[in-house]
Amino acid sequence: MSIDNVNLFNLLENTQIGVVIHNATGVVEYANPAALTLLRLSIDKLKEKSLDVDSWEFIDMQNRKVPYHELPIAQVLATSTAINNRILGTINKDTDKITWFNVNAYPEKYKVNGSSPSFVVVYFTDITAKISDFSYKDIVQHSQDMILVTEAQNIDAPLSPKIIYANEALCKHTEYSLEELLGETPRIFQGALTDKASTLRIRQSLIDQRPCTETLLNYTKSGTPFWVQMNIFPLTNEFGEVTHFAAVQRNVSEMKFQSEQLDKRNAELKKIKQNLESLVNRRTSELRSANHKLEKLAYYDALTNIPNRRAFLDAFAKSLNFAKRNGHAMLIGIADVDHFKAINDSYGHGFGDDVLTIVAQTMQQFFRQEDAIGRIGGEEFAFCMVLTSPVSPRQLLDRFREKVSILHETHPPLKGRQVTLSLGAVYVGDLKEVSIKQLLCDADEALYRAKNKGRNTIECECYDDIDNEGLEPCEDGRAGTESHSKPHHVT
């Protein structure tokens, strides 16, 4: 039997190996049935994609989209050398499952009328079952440690490395959902007391693309601080290029707190010879309780039980950074209880305390959970809102003012005595050049104008394109949009 008797075309048509032949420009000239089945494409669709190089969608083992110039077809065309055993994957958009291929490619030339036309033969096999005996994602997703993966680009603020993955443990502990974290920066967990020297060491390690270990004070979404020990290391692709950073984190708040107390309690612990376990448990519980009380005193107003000035400024800073990164507008305001000294003088300080407490409770009910509120002075309260959709500042502020003005009708401790507020606020659409100090100063000046106009009124400085007078309320009582040519006051 001679090899000449073998029909090679029939062999290609019936083999289980996918075979695709490209011409010298990269356009598909032929694909066998196995290739079309493995790629889930018709021959027409495959040829159409080969005309548009940006339409190829393959990923590597690091889950990175592979650019066209790194694909075997492009490398063979560029170098005229064979590519062996490249592992590439495609994602089924209906099921989100990945199919993995072992890909080979080589140049093919032959003589036609004295010339040598070039073709590239690409052949591949499905190796999904071979490399998917278990899923590393399942292991990472269900790990008790907090795991975070970011891109390796844009180390410095404001862009910073973007989060592309967070496991269940991290979302649960930080109180953020995965949707809230994707596209954000790890700086979202940092706050005013986060050690700057540690963050600078982390930044330098990322620039140098080397591993590092740090213990850092982070904050949950609700502002609760916690200590975390993190191991950060680079992830590389098959070419040795750093494409991502991974961070494995563990909550060490209790460990750090206990280590700080160890020296103070060492002499006492040496004397303990009986009932050691009971005593340690009792002391640990007492220390935790004391720590909780100290944290509450540090961040919450003792009378009204809402955030104090320090906590409000921390939350304000986070909200401002978030709004700047995402191009959102903000509404910042200061509310002052009208004639509060006269209330204390006429009805006593106990009644004045009831007024402040009820106003604080009303703020908690009126503003959203993600808004920052706080008592920043004797009878002064502040708030800031990140506005992801257009609203009418006037209608929003007026609703809050009116809500307070009728509290005496529903709150017996007020004994039928009306309480009113003067409000000064600033609405800013473009936050690029503004600071916390500037915004609070502008809000305070607006409050001063409101009080001078007779109190129980609002003043709002608007730096945007919104005309508050022409807006219709939305379903939640806020407002829609209408264009306006310049900044203006709302009274």
Side-chain angles (χ1 to χ4, degrees):
M1 177 179 176
S2 171
I3 190 66
D4 294 334
N5 295 327
V6 177
N7 189 320
L8 295 181
F9 181 79
N10 285 340
L11 178 63
L12 286 177
E13 288 291 292
N14 291 282
T15 183
Q16 297 304 305
I17 299 174
V19 179
V20 179
I21 300 177
H22 301 255
N23 64 24
T25 65
V27 176
V28 171
E29 294 286 352
Y30 168 81
N32 71 343
L36 299 178
T37 300
L38 291 172
L39 295 174
R40 296 184 295 274
L41 292 171
S42 67
I43 185 63
D44 291 334
K45 284 291 185 182
L46 185 58
K47 289 183 176 181
E48 181 182 327
K49 288 176 71 67
S50 69
L51 293 171
D52 180 10
V53 296
D54 292 329
S55 67
W56 292 111
E57 295 180 352
F58 289 97
I59 61 173
D60 60 16
M61 295 293 286
Q62 283 74 43
N63 211 34
R64 177 184 68 99
K65 182 178 179 181
V66 180
Y68 178 77
H69 70 272
E70 292 182 15
L71 293 177
I73 172 61
Q75 291 184 320
V76 172
L77 288 173
T79 64
S80 295
T81 57
I83 301 296
N84 297 314
N85 299 320
R86 282 286 305 278
I87 298 178
L88 297 173
T90 61
I91 301 175
N92 188 324
K93 294 182 179 179
D94 295 328
T95 64
D96 285 334
K97 291 185 177 180
I98 301 175
T99 301
W100 294 103
F101 301 111
N102 184 25
V103 185
N104 295 269
Y106 65 89
E108 179 71 46
K109 294 184 178 180
Y110 64 93
K111 295 289 185 179
V112 176
N113 297 326
S115 62
S116 300
S118 297
F119 292 90
V120 175
V121 179
V122 180
Y123 61 97
F124 51 93
T125 56
D126 186 341
I127 59 170
T128 304
K130 182 177 179 181
I131 67 174
S132 298
D133 292 335
F134 62 88
S135 171
Y136 74 91
K137 282 192 174 180
D138 288 341
I139 298 174
V140 171
Q141 184 68 359
H142 296 95
S143 170
Q144 296 302 306
D145 287 334
M146 296 175 279
I147 298 176
L148 190 73
V149 179
T150 71
E151 296 177 346
Q153 294 81 24
N154 301 319
I155 300 302
D156 292 320
L159 296 177
S160 303
K162 290 184 178 180
I163 297 171
I164 66 165
Y165 174 79
N167 71 345
E168 290 181 1
L170 188 138
C171 293
K172 180 179 180 180
H173 192 83
T174 63
E175 303 172 4
Y176 289 96
S177 67
L178 179 60
E179 291 73 19
E180 291 175 311
L181 291 177
L182 293 180
E184 276 291 347
T185 164
R187 290 186 177 88
I188 194 174
F189 306 122
Q190 299 173 13
L193 300 181
T194 302
D195 183 53
K196 302 303 181 185
S198 296
T199 59
L200 287 175
R201 288 194 296 271
I202 292 174
R203 174 182 176 275
Q204 191 59 51
S205 296
L206 298 182
I207 292 174
D208 297 340
Q209 298 185 344
R210 57 180 172 80
C212 69
T213 300
E214 290 288 344
T215 299
L216 207 62
L217 181 65
N218 279 347
Y219 294 82
T220 66
K221 181 180 178 180
S222 61
T224 303
F226 67 98
W227 288 96
V228 61
Q229 184 183 68
M230 57 176 65
N231 296 311
I232 303 173
F233 50 92
L235 301 176
T236 59
N237 61 16
E238 59 188 280
F239 304 108
E241 301 167 337
V242 174
T243 58
H244 299 85
F245 291 105
V248 179
Q249 308 175 26
R250 180 167 295 180
N251 186 340
V252 294
S253 300
E254 184 174 349
M255 184 188 305
K256 186 171 180 65
F257 178 76
Q258 289 177 346
S259 68
E260 291 173 350
Q261 298 297 315
L262 184 59
D263 290 340
K264 295 180 181 180
R265 300 301 182 190
N266 189 50
E268 181 180 354
L269 290 174
K270 288 181 179 178
K271 299 177 183 179
I272 299 175
K273 294 181 179 180
Q274 297 179 345
N275 301 321
L276 180 60
E277 183 177 353
S278 174
L279 180 59
V280 169
N281 290 338
R282 180 169 59 84
R283 289 297 176 90
T284 301
S285 176
E286 291 172 355
L287 290 172
R288 285 176 178 169
S289 177
N291 188 50
H292 176 73
K293 291 178 181 177
L294 287 173
E295 286 181 357
K296 190 167 184 179
L297 287 173
Y299 288 93
Y300 283 83
D301 177 61
L303 173 64
T304 62
N305 203 33
I306 66 171
N308 59 17
R309 183 183 186 89
R310 175 185 179 184
F312 170 75
L313 291 177
D314 283 351
F316 189 179
K318 283 190 174 184
S319 296
L320 181 59
N321 290 335
F322 175 80
K324 285 182 177 181
R325 285 196 304 271
N326 293 278
H328 298 320
M330 287 191 75
L331 178 63
I332 304 94
I334 301 175
D336 184 275
V337 179
D338 293 331
H339 305 294
F340 186 71
K341 184 178 184 304
I343 291 174
N344 277 334
D345 292 344
S346 301
Y347 309 113
H349 290 277
F351 181 83
D353 289 348
D354 288 341
V355 169
L356 296 177
T357 301
I358 292 172
V359 170
Q361 291 172 350
T362 304
M363 289 188 75
Q364 286 180 309
Q365 296 167 1
F366 181 85
F367 290 96
R368 304 169 300 185
Q369 185 176 3
E370 61 266 30
D371 299 331
I373 64 170
R375 182 186 177 194
I376 61 171
E379 66 271 22
E380 284 192 349
F381 299 85
F383 58 87
C384 75
M385 305 174 66
V386 177
L387 303 174
T388 58
S389 58
V391 302
S392 165
R394 174 175 183 167
Q395 292 185 10
L396 183 60
L397 296 170
D398 212 42
R399 281 179 57 236
F400 178 57
R401 181 195 61 78
E402 291 177 359
K403 191 174 183 68
V404 172
S405 69
I406 60 173
L407 289 176
H408 63 287
E409 299 175 4
T410 55
H411 289 69
L414 295 182
K415 301 176 182 178
R417 299 179 179 115
Q418 186 181 33
V419 176
T420 61
L421 296 179
S422 296
L423 290 103
V426 182
Y427 181 99
V428 186
D430 184 356
L431 295 158
K432 293 179 182 177
E433 304 298 328
V434 300
S435 65
I436 291 177
K437 182 178 180 181
Q438 175 189 342
L439 293 172
L440 288 177
C441 285
D442 289 347
D444 196 54
E445 290 176 5
L447 174 63
Y448 183 80
R449 292 196 301 272
K451 293 168 72 173
N452 281 345
K453 289 189 176 182
R455 295 179 168 82
N456 193 22
T457 187
I458 60 175
E459 271 281 310
C460 181
E461 188 80 21
C462 290
Y463 298 106
D464 70 327
D465 293 329
I466 290 187
D467 180 359
N468 297 274
E469 304 295 331
L471 298 178
E472 293 297 329
C474 296
E475 292 181 0
D476 62 356
R478 294 180 172 86
T481 61
E482 184 171 313
S483 63
H484 195 273
S485 59
K486 61 182 181 179
H488 55 281
H489 298 299
V490 178
T491 60

